[in-house]
Amino acid sequence: MNVPIYKYDVVIVGAGLAGCAAAKEASDAGLDVCVLTKLHPLRSHSGAAQGGINAALSSDDSTELHEFDTVKGSDYLGDQDAIKLMCENAPQTIRWAERMGAVFSRNEKGEIDQRPFGGQSSPRACYAKDRTGLTLLQTVYEQAHRGGVQFFDEYYVADIILEDDKIKGVVAFDLVDTKPYIFGAKTVMFATGGYGRAFKINSNAHANTGDALSMVARHGLPLEDMEFVQFHPTGIAGSGVLISEAARGEGGILLNRDGEKFMKKYAPNKLELASRDVVSRAITQEILDGRGCGEHKDHVKIDLTHLGADVIKKKLPELRDLAITFLGQDMIEEPISIAATAHYSMGGVPVDIDGHVRKNNDDFIEGFYAAGECACVSIHGANRLGANSVLEALFFGKHIGLQMIKDIKTIEMGELCEADADTAIDEFEKIRTSSGKYKVPILRDKLQQSMTDNAGVFRTEKSLQKQLNIIKEIKEKFKHVAIDDNSTTYNTDLQEAVEFGHMIDYSTFIVAGAIERKESRGAHFRDEYPQRDDENYLKHTMGYMDKNGDVAIKYMDVVLGKHELAARTY
């Protein structure tokens, strides 16, 4: 097969905030940059971020307080050097976005308004009503496009080209006609988002299938802290579509079926503004104890009626529309139905503070970078604070764009040939022409439901071992899968099957890491080990996948700093 080869200085995979920010910086420095994305950049999942982006701007706040809150929120698993870098640069990141044209909501003094978020000492989430992510994404995409970045929409990146610890480019398929292309580059950056779609009820976009993670793992590279998956407390009951933390930041109150304000039992000081893992467990515990609302007792309520119509229409207009659309409930008039939903991935591709992808604890892959939710730097450790993800994506995207500009001076373009695409082409063709008996939607539904049941908010040795066996069974059946569409034109059937293969692989990492981590820390809660164990598990999980798909667990030290270990209470 004739495979065209394109060459760039920089190839970025993913067009959300991290990808666009890096592309803009690299292009502004005169580098030849292309961005590959499954869908139009403005449909990237960064645009779904509603509530805000953190920065210590007010006189009542400080970057040191922001650091402390982030370290504490991470349950002390976050790397303090990376946290310090991000928090110190947060104010200038906001100013950078504003100078590019981002329009933030203002207070009566004309300053950027800030709202309180869970686990934070001060209101520090800068926001644009409840459409913060979309505002920032439109701004940074527009400036990247204006600066000459070449965007390839509807291209599916299927493999990396790696040789002798150096990345040479990626293999991508044009989704219009399934034709393969090689995009060679001196530097490649992954900015592909998270892996929440491993779970049945999740807030992730359909495009967020986590492919980049298993793509990296299949080349023998590690994945870090994959067991830490954040469940957002307030997803719309039944669908998982997010009701932003802004709803609690503005004063939303959680109620069980008895009308009880139950957060006083779980977080007597912070109440609804405790960190996300604490609130998610509280909601789930109320449901497990039979105090859930509705016919099936499977959700609780969040009450915003006391805010009044004017505040809701001004500050939470999109959240109100979502609740009306998906629930038929108007938050101005009645409490709305919510439950915890798989939301954010703390784990991912391990990188150092400048975005270089690790080969192992000590060595790196030349020319390979990652940023945003697919990367693990590690800012969030075991649990992320709300509004830190938008900051991480924007800041580290920009920061790594600048790092690539420095590094590229000493990086040579690798030798490329058509055969570099063979593995990806073979995978696509095998699935496209397979005549097996199993269907992807049925297998995917089983994987997602079982991950929710066995590796969700609460985990046990028994449930995790059961899940590992289920994954192995699904993996075996996937070898004999069949799709209905065998064409090469906009074959979404084929794309979903390939994506599902990746989902199986990275779900194995989630479960394998969770089995070995015999403690409760942040978003990872083991019923048999309800306490944090700093003596044995104050360390990052590093998972390595062998050719059979089994995952071996090793560990890497956490970067500690001035914020000393302490009990985490709210």
Side-chain angles (χ1 to χ4, degrees):
M1 183 182 287
N2 180 34
V3 183
I5 299 174
Y6 297 121
K7 292 184 179 180
Y8 292 86
D9 293 320
V10 179
V11 166
I12 294 170
V13 184
L17 281 174
C20 284
K24 179 195 180 309
E25 292 297 87
S27 179
D28 285 355
L31 299 180
D32 195 11
V33 183
C34 89
V35 176
L36 298 163
T37 167
K38 286 186 195 176
L39 64 179
H40 189 276
L42 292 183
R43 301 298 296 169
S44 298
H45 195 47
S46 295
Q50 298 161 332
I53 174 171
N54 283 331
L57 299 182
S58 77
S59 56
D60 298 327
D61 201 1
S62 68
T63 56
E64 188 162 317
L65 262 180
H66 188 184
E67 278 179 54
F68 170 73
D69 289 343
T70 302
V71 172
K72 179 182 175 182
S74 78
D75 222 347
Y76 297 89
L77 199 73
D79 288 331
Q80 292 193 34
D81 57 345
I83 291 170
K84 185 174 191 290
L85 178 71
M86 181 185 80
C87 294
E88 286 181 346
N89 283 278
Q92 73 181 57
T93 303
I94 299 295
R95 289 191 286 272
W96 180 68
E98 193 176 31
R99 282 197 301 271
M100 283 193 288
V103 180
F104 290 99
S105 295
R106 301 276 167 175
N107 61 22
E108 60 279 0
K109 296 179 183 176
E111 302 162 336
I112 292 175
D113 205 4
Q114 294 180 282
R115 56 168 52 121
F117 259 49
Q120 315 224 31
S121 305
S122 181
R124 67 167 67 99
C126 311
Y127 63 95
K129 292 189 176 179
D130 54 358
R131 305 184 184 108
T132 311
L134 186 59
T135 297
L136 292 168
L137 182 60
Q138 287 172 331
T139 302
V140 71
Y141 165 66
E142 179 185 84
Q143 295 304 318
H145 192 281
R146 181 185 183 191
V149 174
Q150 192 167 0
F151 286 87
F152 287 84
D153 303 352
E154 298 186 332
Y155 274 71
Y156 181 91
V157 173
D159 200 6
I160 56 175
I161 303 171
L162 194 63
E163 186 180 336
D164 298 328
D165 297 340
K166 172 182 170 59
I167 197 160
K168 302 194 295 181
V170 300
V171 182
F173 290 84
D174 186 341
L175 292 175
V176 175
D177 54 17
T178 324
K179 286 185 178 172
Y181 295 83
I182 289 171
F183 288 84
K186 294 179 180 177
T187 62
V188 172
M189 176 176 139
F190 272 5
T192 55
Y195 50 91
R197 290 195 67 79
F199 297 85
K200 182 68 176 173
I201 302 296
N202 67 80
S203 67
N204 286 197
H206 281 278
N208 276 40
T209 47
D211 320 340
L213 299 162
S214 50
M215 209 178 293
V216 166
R218 288 174 184 182
H219 284 268
L221 303 180
L223 297 180
E224 180 179 354
D225 288 346
M226 291 289 286
E227 67 267 34
F228 294 107
V229 180
Q230 182 172 82
F231 284 76
H232 195 289
T234 54
I236 288 176
S239 72
V241 173
L242 211 60
I243 294 296
S244 167
E245 192 164 333
R248 285 178 290 128
E250 296 296 341
I253 297 168
L254 295 172
L255 305 172
N256 62 21
R257 71 180 294 108
D258 302 322
E260 179 191 5
K261 299 175 183 178
F262 59 83
M263 280 310 300
K264 62 189 176 189
K265 293 187 294 190
Y266 301 95
N269 297 320
K270 285 286 191 178
L271 301 172
E272 278 76 10
L273 289 179
S275 68
R276 287 179 175 177
D277 59 319
V278 173
V279 184
S280 289
R281 280 195 293 276
I283 290 170
T284 305
Q285 192 64 57
E286 289 294 301
I287 293 167
L288 291 173
D289 290 345
R291 292 186 290 274
C293 302
E295 181 185 351
H296 303 293
K297 298 184 180 181
D298 59 356
H299 62 272
V300 298
K301 302 274 190 177
I302 183 167
D303 185 7
L304 296 141
T305 56
H306 56 282
L307 298 182
D310 289 346
V311 169
I312 289 172
K313 287 178 179 177
K314 181 183 178 184
K315 292 189 171 183
L316 307 171
E318 188 168 295
L319 299 189
R320 181 186 176 220
D321 287 348
L322 287 172
I324 291 170
T325 300
F326 287 93
L327 293 168
Q329 297 172 347
D330 188 340
M331 63 175 62
I332 290 174
E333 299 172 358
E334 62 180 318
I336 61 171
S337 305
I338 57 95
T341 178
H343 174 57
Y344 188 85
S345 317
M346 272 75 75
V349 178
V351 296
D352 70 1
I353 199 168
D354 295 319
H356 302 107
V357 172
R358 294 183 183 276
K359 178 188 177 186
N360 50 45
N361 294 9
D362 304 310
D363 302 312
F364 299 88
I365 303 298
E366 185 185 29
F368 197 12
Y369 305 79
E373 193 174 352
C374 75
C376 187
V377 62
S378 152
I379 294 293
H380 313 299
N383 173 68
R384 174 174 73 78
L385 292 188
N388 264 355
S389 61
V390 184
L391 173 61
E392 180 199 22
L394 198 59
F395 167 67
F396 275 101
K398 179 179 187 290
H399 177 66
I400 292 165
L402 295 171
Q403 186 64 41
M404 288 192 288
I405 295 165
K406 295 177 193 170
D407 292 350
I408 209 164
K409 295 169 185 171
T410 58
I411 297 175
E412 299 292 326
M413 180 76 76
E415 291 291 324
L416 295 159
C417 64
E418 290 184 19
D420 289 326
D422 285 353
T423 301
I425 292 169
D426 289 347
E427 180 189 16
F428 266 57
E429 278 304 293
K430 182 182 177 184
I431 292 174
R432 191 178 71 83
T433 59
S434 174
S435 56
K437 62 180 179 178
Y438 297 106
K439 296 294 183 183
V440 168
I442 294 169
L443 293 179
R444 183 175 59 218
D445 190 63
K446 181 171 184 180
L447 177 67
Q448 291 175 317
Q449 187 62 60
S450 61
M451 285 293 290
T452 300
D453 295 342
N454 300 319
V457 175
F458 294 104
R459 299 163 171 179
T460 67
E461 184 86 22
K462 185 179 178 182
S463 74
L464 292 167
Q465 289 291 353
K466 178 182 177 183
Q467 187 57 28
L468 202 56
N469 291 332
I470 290 171
I471 292 172
K472 287 177 180 176
E473 175 194 323
I474 290 171
K475 193 178 184 79
E476 200 56 40
K477 288 180 177 177
F478 183 68
K479 295 175 184 175
H480 308 285
V481 81
I483 59 175
D484 296 323
D485 183 0
N486 301 121
S487 74
T488 55
T489 304
Y490 269 120
N491 193 336
T492 54
D493 229 9
L494 173 58
Q495 182 184 342
E496 286 187 12
V498 173
E499 288 169 340
F500 179 59
H502 290 291
M503 190 182 290
I504 295 169
D505 282 352
Y506 67 71
S507 293
T508 311
F509 279 85
I510 297 171
V511 177
I515 288 172
E516 293 301 320
R517 186 170 287 274
K518 294 174 171 54
E519 66 160 353
S520 290
R521 186 187 294 269
H524 169 70
F525 192 90
R526 286 285 298 270
D527 285 3
E528 321 94 309
Y529 307 99
Q531 302 303 317
R532 194 177 83 198
D533 181 356
D534 290 331
E535 187 176 339
N536 294 305
Y537 292 102
L538 183 64
K539 51 192 178 183
H540 296 297
T541 303
M542 300 290 277
Y544 293 81
M545 187 170 72
D546 64 22
K547 287 183 168 54
N548 298 320
D550 295 322
V551 174
I553 299 297
K554 296 181 181 179
Y555 292 98
M556 183 172 68
D557 290 341
V558 174
V559 179
L560 300 175
K562 63 185 175 186
H563 302 292
E564 296 182 4
L565 294 169
R568 182 168 165 263
T569 56
Y570 291 101

